[in-house]
Amino acid sequence: VTGSHDGTLKLWDTVEGSLIATLKEYDKNVRTAAFTPDGRYLLARSDMDKFIRLWDGKSGKFIKTLAGQNDYVTSLAISPDGNKVLTGERKDLIFTSNVYSIPSGELLVSFDKHNNTIIATAISPDGQTAATSGGDRKEIFLWNINNGKVQQKLVGNGSSIFNVAFSKDNRSIAFGKSVSKNHTVAKYGPLKQVFNFKKVQSGS
């Protein structure tokens, strides 16, 4: 799937390179699109949009608006089992990360410990821990995706964090702090730094 500044998503056959469908549901640039791991569903959000939309991942047929937030969706990450999506949000001086059920769109958990826009989100390989970044102290919060309880807070003194990801063995967090800009696009840089920890206590 590809997203464009013309407000469309395009679904492609990766074997033949042929276009399956053009999905037009946006008025602004499409910023993020992601499949559930089984390929059944496709989720996307656009620039300065308050909604996450849901499509059939094989045919490209629009299913519904999955969820709407109070303010624009800044990022999204899908759980390994494909049953949850984690988002970032900013509303005035309230900064929250929300967990919604797929495909119902039910709000399961809201996390409100950040004090600035939540730029990056990730879910651990076991599907139990969320990593979210965005704050004046350049922190990454690790928290239980089922109840919102904080597990660890990683605080730095450098630049803002634009990317975050878990390692496959769930023993470390990688993050990136670089961003390059031109007249149309802000491109987030690679994951360059790693924080290792003995174990994330998923049930704590």
Side-chain angles (χ1 to χ4, degrees), residues 132-194:
T132 52
S133 69
D136 294 337
R137 297 191 66 195
K138 325 302 181 192
E139 69 265 25
I140 299 173
F141 275 102
L142 304 180
W143 48 278
N144 187 297
I145 200 169
N146 299 303
N147 58 28
K149 185 177 179 180
V150 175
Q151 296 171 350
Q152 289 179 291
K153 182 181 179 181
L154 315 178
V155 180
N157 295 311
S159 303
S160 297
I161 296 168
F162 292 99
N163 283 324
V164 64
F166 285 89
S167 62
K168 289 183 178 180
D169 63 7
N170 208 34
R171 292 176 181 269
S172 62
I173 288 284
F175 55 96
K177 301 189 293 184
S178 62
V179 58
S180 60
K181 297 181 180 181
N182 59 32
H183 66 288
T184 57
V185 175
K187 182 180 179 181
Y188 296 156
L191 300 165
K192 287 187 174 182
Q193 296 174 278
V194 175

Side-chain angles (χ1 to χ4, degrees), residues 192-203:
K192 287 187 174 182
Q193 296 174 278
V194 175
F195 180 87
N196 295 304
F197 42 79
K198 291 182 179 180
K199 185 177 180 182
V200 174
Q201 299 294 331
S202 299

Side-chain angles (χ1 to χ4, degrees), residues 1-15:
V1 64
T2 56
S4 171
H5 278 203
D6 64 5
T8 64
L9 286 166
K10 291 183 183 293
L11 194 63
W12 304 88
D13 184 304
T14 57
V15 176

